[in-house]
Amino acid sequence: MDVVFLDDPKAFDKVDHGILLHKLRTLGISGNLGIWLHDFLSSRSQTVKANGASSSERPVVSGATSFLVLMIDTDEEIQHSTLVSFADDTNISKNDRSLGDVKELHEDLNTVYRWARKNNMVFNNDKFELLRCGPLENLKSSTDICTEDGQAISTSSEVKCLGVYLSEDGKFQCHIQETVKKTK
């Protein structure tokens, strides 16, 4: 199994409201609710007050909820792999048993890149992590999983995902060690 952990820096801050409103309309959200959401997302600003001082007013351009709605269709065109998202943590995985399976994972990863461009999102390829689990050492050593620009994604023996340490051997020894450290 190959799992690519994607990094979408500042995902909550980069949602294109026009694209988001279009997706809401395609989901059937229109009428008064659609108008209210449009007005809610348009021309908003905020300030921060602390210790009697106020920051300058800044536009509000996004937030976690709008990012989650934007991501609603990320996996529509994924054909061979599994795409999982929780908030801004996204990974794509495939049970690779052959070179053909690795190629299919690449196809689906390219689909995710196309989705990102279409939705004005940019991944940070340098922070991608690849976890390669299973006994097929020859497949692991003879293939790379690459970013859109052809850069091999760094393989990690352990990856932290949603607070849980996952390891290539399928054991939770690292997670147990990290949990024990926190209790001391």
Side-chain angles (χ1 to χ4, degrees), residues 98-110:
S98 68
L99 184 56
D101 290 334
V102 174
K103 288 180 181 178
E104 289 177 347
L105 175 60
H106 269 277
E107 288 173 22
D108 288 338
L109 189 54
N110 286 331

Side-chain angles (χ1 to χ4, degrees), residues 86-98:
F86 183 81
D88 62 341
D89 291 326
T90 302
N91 68 65
I92 186 168
S93 62
K94 176 143 180 54
N95 191 3
D96 292 340
R97 293 188 174 109
S98 68

Side-chain angles (χ1 to χ4, degrees), residues 103-121:
K103 288 180 181 178
E104 289 177 347
L105 175 60
H106 269 277
E107 288 173 22
D108 288 338
L109 189 54
N110 286 331
T111 298
V112 173
Y113 278 115
R114 284 191 300 277
W115 173 90
R117 281 192 306 276
K118 181 179 169 185
N119 288 279
N120 295 332
M121 302 301 277

